[in-house]
């Protein structure tokens, strides 16, 4: 079946078939032409992959992010970010990156970051004298932190595939790597702004004004403390945290910012349902795809082969990074996690690599694939939002690819970035 599965998948992806449908159809083809299993197995495995209590957190976190976006949270975060760094050279670019990092603590999704504050910042940067393709490329690079700074949908899915980690430990492990990526992207923006002469015409606002904007944004930023703190101290589970996040978002939108109205909720719920449906469809198709690999014995074969090579942990991590970078060219992070983690995580554990460290390396690497052609989702989201051709965005990406690659190498070879916070937090 595997000899049919992979060619079918790559052909479908090359034809532009969405990832979820490409995986499901390739499994159908593999079953019909390479085995005696009935086609109904595909549907059964897709439902089995979604029959999980922790997965309830996914639609609720998506709904919480949609409610917060509709409740003037995005604008509060943008104003605070601009007041902090807008006066610097390349200040609007810095504000773009900083607002994405702040919004990541609400959305848990790179695509939500790009479509939410990112789309607003592209317009602001263009009005401020930045080239629109550059503003779009910067938005792509800054949105990468969405699944890395907690909460994170990708981390929830990862914890379901690897019993050596928990959602809480991964949330803590992602904080420092997310801040590192934010800093390196800001450095790249500063360098490009210096070369191209992107200067800020705004003076640094008075401290009282910054303080006022910070206080105004605190209710939105408290969500990450509520989620991570509640999970850390055992007050609620990640799934319960997602439900609490929804009610907190409703409270903040209706009674704190007073910009969310009852009549807005049906449209917000519909948008969240569409996004959640797309995510869960991908997860179901990835489960069926992974089932074929397991039936064929591919994970066991690869694990035994790699262990027999007697690689050192450093060489293994380098090899994994290369594999994931190639895999990320064609596959989104969620199916990548579901397919590859059951194969690679046990090997990394056998080599003595910290499970949280390895998890963050995998998540960061696969998330970078959202920015790389030919199927990087962020490319098409930002291109649509900014009314640009994908090729013009990709031409502006080299400085940010360098920043992201530097971040990946540091995260890979400095394990303390991923292990210190979980350790001091008791995970």
């Amino acid at each position: 079946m595997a000899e049919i599965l992979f060619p079918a998948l790559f052909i479908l992806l090359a034809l532009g078939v969405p990832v979820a449908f490409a995986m499901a159809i390739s499994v159908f083809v593999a079953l019909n032409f390479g085995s005696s299993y009935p086609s109904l197995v595909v549907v059964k495995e897709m439902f089995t992959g979604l029959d999980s209590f922790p997965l309830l957190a996914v639609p609720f976190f998506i709904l919480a992010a949609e409610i917060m976006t509709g409740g003037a949270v995005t604008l509060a975060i943008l104003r605070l970010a601009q007041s902090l760094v807008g006066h610097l050279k390349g200040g609007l670019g810095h504000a773009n990156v900083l607002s994405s990092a702040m919004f990541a603590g609400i959305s848990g999704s790179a695509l939500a970051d790009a479509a939410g504050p990112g789309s607003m910042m592209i317009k602001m940067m263009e009005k401020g004298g930045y080239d629109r393709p550059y503003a779009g490329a910067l938005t792509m690079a800054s949105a990468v932190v969405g699944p890395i700074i907690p909460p994170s949908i990708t981390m929830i899915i990862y914890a379901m595939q690897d019993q050596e980690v928990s959602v809480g430990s991964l949330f803590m492990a992602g904080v420092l790597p997310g801040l590192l990526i934010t800093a390196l992207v800001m450095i790249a923006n500063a360098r490009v702004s210096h070369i191209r002469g992107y200067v800020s015409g705004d003076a640094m606002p008075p401290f009282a004004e910054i303080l006022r904007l910070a206080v105004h944004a605190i209710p939105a930023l408290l969500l990450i403390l509520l989620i991570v703190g509640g999970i850390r101290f055992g007050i609620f589970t990640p799934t319960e945290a997602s439900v609490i996040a929804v009610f907190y978002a409703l409270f903040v939108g209706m009674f704190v910012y007073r910009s969310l109205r009852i009549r807005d909720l049906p449209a917000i719920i519909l948008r969240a349902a569409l996004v959640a449906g797309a995510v869960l469809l991908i997860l179901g198709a990835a489960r069926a795809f992974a089932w074929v690999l397991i039936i064929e014995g591919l994970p066991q074969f690869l694990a035994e082969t790699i262990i027999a090579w007697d690689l050192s942990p450093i060489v293994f991590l380098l090899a994994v990074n290369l594999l994931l970078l190639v895999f990320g060219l064609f596959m989104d992070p969620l199916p990548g996690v579901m397919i590859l983690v059951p194969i690679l995580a046990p090997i990394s554990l056998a080599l003595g690599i910290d499970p949280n460290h390895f998890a963050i390396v995998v998540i960061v690497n696969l998330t970078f694939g959202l920015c790389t052609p030919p199927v990087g989702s962020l490319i098409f989201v930002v291109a649509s939002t900014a009314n640009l051709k994908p090729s013009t965005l990709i031409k502006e990406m080299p400085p940010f690819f360098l920043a992201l690659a530097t971040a990946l190498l540091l995260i890979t070879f400095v394990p303390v970035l991923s292990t210190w916070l979980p350790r001091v937090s008791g995970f």
Side-chain angles (χ1 to χ4, degrees):
M1 285 190 290
E3 295 175 353
I4 299 173
L5 183 70
F6 286 103
L9 176 66
F10 290 132
I11 290 172
L12 290 168
L13 290 175
L15 293 174
V17 177
V19 172
F21 293 102
M23 286 192 293
I25 293 171
S26 63
V27 174
F28 270 114
V29 173
L31 289 178
N32 286 316
F33 293 97
S35 78
S36 59
Y37 290 100
S39 298
L40 189 62
V41 170
V42 181
V43 180
K44 181 259 184 188
E45 288 299 323
M46 290 181 70
F47 273 95
T48 300
L50 301 179
D51 185 18
S52 171
F53 180 75
L55 270 184
L56 285 173
V58 173
F60 280 114
F61 274 130
I62 291 172
L63 178 57
E66 288 288 346
I67 293 172
M68 293 290 267
T69 303
V73 173
T74 302
L75 191 57
I77 289 174
L78 285 178
R79 286 174 175 169
L80 174 60
Q82 189 171 0
S83 71
L84 292 172
V85 295
H87 61 283
L88 302 174
K89 181 173 288 188
L92 282 177
H94 293 322
N96 188 338
V97 180
L98 190 58
S99 62
S100 288
M102 293 178 182
F103 196 75
I106 297 171
S107 69
S109 166
L111 301 183
D113 273 17
S119 62
M120 298 174 66
M121 282 305 308
I122 290 173
K123 296 175 184 177
M124 291 174 60
M125 289 179 67
E126 187 177 14
K127 289 181 181 178
Y130 293 74
D131 297 326
R132 198 193 322 169
Y134 175 77
L138 179 61
T139 298
M140 285 170 50
S142 62
V144 162
V145 298
I148 299 168
I149 293 178
S152 167
I153 293 171
T154 307
M155 289 178 181
I156 294 171
I157 304 305
Y158 189 104
M160 293 173 59
Q161 311 304 315
D162 184 1
Q163 301 304 312
E164 298 296 326
V165 297
S166 66
V167 174
S169 70
L170 290 183
F171 279 7
M172 298 305 296
V175 174
L176 293 181
L179 295 178
L180 172 66
I181 294 169
T182 300
L184 289 174
V185 173
M186 290 180 74
I187 291 172
N189 171 65
R191 176 64 178 165
V192 174
S193 297
H194 176 76
I195 294 172
R196 299 189 183 184
Y198 295 146
V199 296
S200 174
D202 299 329
M204 184 176 181
F207 178 77
E209 176 66 10
I210 296 176
L211 185 61
R212 184 187 69 80
L213 293 172
V215 170
H216 186 62
I218 281 176
L221 299 178
L222 277 178
L223 181 59
I224 183 173
L225 296 180
L226 176 68
I227 294 170
V228 176
I231 295 173
R232 164 62 187 86
F233 293 107
I235 301 173
F236 38 69
T237 67
T239 304
E240 293 165 347
S242 66
V243 179
I244 291 170
V246 170
F247 283 99
Y248 180 81
L250 286 170
F251 174 79
V252 169
M254 289 183 173
F255 302 108
V256 178
Y257 293 116
R258 297 183 180 181
S259 59
L260 184 65
R261 296 162 294 185
I262 296 293
R263 64 172 179 267
D264 298 329
L265 292 181
I268 290 173
I269 293 172
L270 177 61
R271 289 199 304 271
L274 291 172
V275 174
V279 170
L280 294 175
L281 181 61
I282 291 174
L283 294 179
R287 163 67 187 221
F289 194 94
W291 175 83
V292 173
L293 300 182
I294 293 170
I295 291 297
E296 290 285 88
L298 192 59
Q300 299 90 323
F301 171 75
L302 288 176
E304 292 170 0
T305 302
I306 294 174
I307 290 174
W309 290 344
D310 195 24
L311 301 176
S312 68
I314 292 178
V315 175
F316 173 73
L317 286 173
L318 282 173
V320 166
N321 273 321
L322 290 174
L323 170 65
L324 296 176
L325 286 171
V326 174
F327 194 88
L329 295 174
F330 306 99
M331 196 72 70
D332 284 346
L334 294 181
V337 165
M338 293 192 71
I339 293 170
L340 294 176
V341 169
I343 302 172
L344 300 174
I347 304 173
S348 73
L349 185 65
L351 292 175
I353 299 170
D354 184 279
N356 286 309
H357 175 217
F358 184 73
I360 296 302
V361 170
V362 171
I363 292 169
V364 169
N365 196 314
L366 289 175
T367 303
F368 288 174
L370 294 171
C371 296
T372 55
V375 296
S377 300
L378 276 175
I379 299 173
F380 300 102
V381 169
V382 174
S384 175
T385 300
N387 194 23
L388 291 166
K389 293 181 179 179
S391 58
T392 61
L393 286 174
I394 295 169
K395 289 178 182 178
E396 295 281 1
M397 280 299 293
F400 304 118
F401 283 145
L402 179 60
L404 296 177
T406 302
L408 180 59
L409 289 174
L410 288 172
I411 292 167
T412 300
F413 296 114
V414 186
V416 70
L417 290 170
S418 308
T419 59
W420 180 71
L421 268 181
R423 185 171 61 250
V424 299
S425 301
F427 287 103

